[in-house]
């Protein structure tokens, strides 16, 4: 069995299919891992969700910030970003089934045999593995509850829970977990999350900010961390124990597939619009 990890698809379904054909992906034998943001700016969000739903046990997915935003848009508590192409998905006859499937997807995936952790944006450096499991599993339980829109999705649009501490309420812990695992890029020197700067690391001029993966982390001392989310990084990280897979396909760059067993990366450039 081969294990392939793909960066942020964001509705770039045709590029995904071409990429998988390059490696002769066979769902009866291989497994496809996706770092989240299955939907949004590309034209094929509907096809992407249907594809992963049909893969069933041959796919391992984590939720990204755009996937979480889809829940709010579908519930009509937020409007779709004009630059997203969610119309066909939102009006699809199987939208309820697709939303139900997406709600079952976690914020992290663990591959114990290879000591590997996959999240959308990364893992807070100060978190141990048990903390990741506890916090992310609680968010998943809330997401799968009947009142998930009011109790979780409707409350997650805040930058307030940006620093981890023991006295946080359950709501604050859930929001911090979502912010850290799906939105994190730069951290301040005190470890708090920064939501303003989205530049490449070398272009950031704020001396108090540095990429989360440059902070001394606990989990990446024992595990490989796989993440996406930060297209400006373009896969360039300073550690062999971290794999950055978002290479900006939806922004005109390319989609990246990492083959775990051979440690090789295969890419597919963004297709030109007709």
């Amino acid at each position: 069995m081969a294990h392939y990890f793909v960066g942020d698809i964001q509705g770039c379904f045709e590029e995904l299919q071409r990429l998988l054909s390059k490696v002769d992906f066979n769902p009866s034998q291989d497994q496809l891992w996706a770092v989240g943001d299955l939907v949004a700016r590309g034209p094929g969000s509907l096809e992407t969700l249907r594809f992963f739903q049909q893969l069933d046990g041959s796919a391992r997915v984590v939720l990204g910030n755009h996937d979480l935003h889809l829940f709010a848009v579908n519930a009509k508590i937020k409007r779709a970003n004009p630059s997203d192409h969610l119309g066909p998905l939102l009006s699809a006859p199987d939208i309820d089934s697709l939303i139900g499937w997406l709600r079952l997807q976690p914020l992290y995936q663990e591959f114990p045999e290879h000591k590997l952790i996959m999240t959308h944006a990364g893992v807070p450096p100060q978190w141990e593995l048990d903390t990741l499991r506890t916090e992310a599993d609680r968010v998943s339980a809330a997401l799968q509850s009947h009142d998930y829109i009011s109790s979780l999705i409707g409350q997650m649009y805040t930058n307030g829970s940006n620093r981890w501490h023991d006295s946080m309420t359950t709501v604050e812990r859930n929001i911090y977990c979502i912010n850290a695992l799906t939105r994190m890029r730069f951290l301040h020197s005190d470890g708090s999350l920064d939501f303003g700067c989205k530049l490449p690391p070398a272009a950031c001029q704020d001396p108090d900010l540095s990429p989360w993966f440059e902070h001394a982390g606990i989990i990446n001392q024992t595990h490989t961390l796989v993440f996406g989310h930060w297209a400006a990084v373009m896969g360039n990280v300073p550690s062999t124990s971290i794999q950055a897979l978002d290479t900006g396909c939806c922004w005109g760059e390319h989609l990246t597939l990492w083959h775990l067993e051979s440690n090789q990366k295969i890419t597919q450039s963004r297709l030109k619009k007709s």
Side-chain angles (χ1 to χ4, degrees):
M1 174 184 286
H3 296 86
Y4 298 101
F5 292 72
V6 65
D8 300 35
I9 300 166
Q10 290 228 16
C12 296
F13 181 69
E14 291 188 31
E15 289 84 352
L16 173 65
Q17 293 305 302
R18 292 201 182 192
L19 191 54
L20 294 178
S21 69
K22 290 182 179 182
V23 296
D24 295 321
F25 175 74
N26 184 345
S28 67
Q29 299 177 357
D30 305 325
Q31 195 164 64
L32 180 61
W33 300 58
V35 300
D37 278 4
L38 302 182
V39 304
R41 302 189 184 277
S45 291
L46 173 59
E47 293 83 357
T48 300
L49 285 190
R50 284 174 173 170
F51 174 72
F52 275 94
Q53 184 185 41
Q54 292 166 3
L55 282 178
D56 193 25
S58 297
R60 301 284 294 273
V61 173
V62 295
L63 295 173
N65 54 301
H66 283 284
D67 306 315
L68 291 169
H69 185 61
L70 174 63
F71 297 137
V73 172
N74 184 59
K76 296 182 172 55
I77 66 172
K78 290 288 184 178
R79 293 183 179 181
N81 189 317
S83 59
D84 291 342
H85 299 276
L86 297 177
L89 171 59
L90 294 170
S91 61
D94 54 342
I95 180 62
D96 290 342
S97 173
L98 294 170
I99 291 293
W101 171 82
L102 199 60
R103 285 173 59 196
L104 297 176
Q105 307 313 308
L107 290 180
Y108 76 102
Q109 291 279 4
E110 189 172 353
F111 197 171
E113 298 92 325
H114 288 270
K115 298 184 74 66
L116 181 148
I117 298 291
M118 179 177 73
T119 66
H120 179 60
V123 177
Q126 70 270 34
W127 275 13
E128 298 180 347
L129 185 55
D130 284 346
T131 306
L132 170 65
R133 291 168 175 159
T134 299
E135 300 302 321
D137 287 350
R138 185 173 52 248
V139 172
S140 292
L143 187 59
Q144 294 164 28
S145 67
H146 71 279
D147 63 343
Y148 76 102
I149 292 296
S150 60
S151 66
L152 183 68
I153 300 301
Q155 299 185 42
M156 71 179 183
Y157 289 92
T158 174
N159 295 338
S161 297
N162 68 339
R163 187 175 181 183
W164 180 253
H165 55 87
D166 293 337
S167 60
M168 299 173 95
T169 66
T170 297
V171 171
E172 290 172 336
R173 294 170 84 98
N174 286 346
I175 294 173
Y176 177 86
C177 182
I178 288 173
N179 284 340
L181 299 188
T182 73
R183 298 179 61 200
M184 180 171 61
R185 292 185 178 92
F186 288 99
L187 299 181
H188 291 276
S189 57
D190 64 359
S192 60
L193 304 169
D194 175 79
F195 301 108
C197 187
K198 301 180 182 181
L199 296 171
C204 179
Q205 299 300 309
D206 188 337
D208 192 54
L209 295 180
S210 56
W212 68 266
F213 48 76
E214 292 185 2
H215 288 243
I218 296 175
I219 295 179
N220 63 299
Q221 293 180 17
T222 56
H223 288 70
T224 296
L225 298 184
V226 181
F227 77 104
H229 181 59
W230 199 350
V233 171
M234 288 301 290
N236 298 313
V237 291
S239 172
T240 57
S241 66
I242 298 177
Q243 292 287 341
L245 298 184
D246 184 6
T247 47
C249 186
C250 70
W251 304 108
E253 295 294 338
H254 55 271
L255 191 62
T256 293
L257 194 71
W258 175 51
H259 180 214
L260 172 63
E261 285 75 15
S262 67
N263 193 29
Q264 291 183 329
K265 289 182 177 178
I266 305 94
T267 63
Q268 169 61 49
S269 298
R270 177 71 186 267
L271 300 174
K272 293 182 179 180
K273 297 180 181 179
S274 57

